[in-house]
Amino acid sequence: MPKSPIDNAKLDRIVAEARRNAEQRELGYRERALKMYPWVCGRCAREFTRANLQELTVHHRNHDHDFNPPDGSNWELLCVYCHDNEHSRHIDHVRGGVMEVEEAPPATGNPFADLKAMMERGGKR
């Protein structure tokens, strides 16, 4: 099977686009935070390497993803587990710490009603 000629112009366009995309990503807050801070979870202190870096997230301290000051003061690096926990705590706080649950009916029995007698009998009925 004959090889098709290499289209150098197409390769140049692909490389240029890849470089532009990399530059755009570097302007993003995640890339800036990863350059600014050590790759350690700010809560559990788990350390990260390039092999597991996808598990390290950028948490916005004030929960506003549009507030990204250049000094990184609204960011902290958290592992995915601590990040999920932080957002769960925030949701609970916003709700007032009260979950909506149905009120349970009052208890009709007392499991400890005969406890004293059972203990006197040594647990035998």
Side-chain angles (χ1 to χ4, degrees):
M1 178 174 238
K3 288 187 177 182
S4 58
I6 296 174
D7 184 350
N8 288 325
K10 182 177 180 181
L11 289 175
D12 289 343
R13 284 191 305 273
I14 291 170
V15 169
E17 182 179 356
R19 286 185 178 150
R20 276 192 307 275
N21 290 341
E23 289 169 3
Q24 284 297 105
R25 283 192 306 273
E26 286 182 6
L27 297 176
Y29 66 82
R30 176 176 167 75
E31 288 70 23
R32 288 187 288 152
L34 291 173
K35 286 180 179 179
M36 191 176 294
Y37 296 113
W39 295 354
V40 175
C41 176
R43 298 290 160 82
C44 68
R46 178 178 165 201
E47 295 183 14
F48 292 82
T49 64
R50 289 199 184 281
N52 62 354
L53 191 59
Q54 72 276 3
E55 297 175 22
L56 188 63
T57 64
V58 179
H59 173 65
H60 288 79
R61 295 173 192 262
N62 71 354
H63 299 277
D64 180 358
H65 288 217
D66 294 324
F67 182 60
N68 295 300
D71 66 353
S73 58
N74 190 36
W75 306 327
E76 64 181 331
L77 298 179
L78 299 178
C79 72
V80 292
Y81 306 108
C82 292
H83 193 215
D84 285 348
N85 179 266
E86 179 61 29
H87 279 276
S88 294
R89 290 171 11 128
H90 177 69
I91 290 168
D92 289 346
H93 174 73
V94 169
R95 287 184 182 163
V98 178
M99 294 183 61
E100 296 177 22
V101 293
E102 292 181 24
E103 190 171 323
T108 57
N110 183 351
F112 303 108
D114 198 29
L115 182 61
K116 183 176 180 183
M118 287 176 63
M119 290 182 68
E120 289 172 355
R121 291 190 302 254
K124 299 176 189 169
R125 290 191 171 209

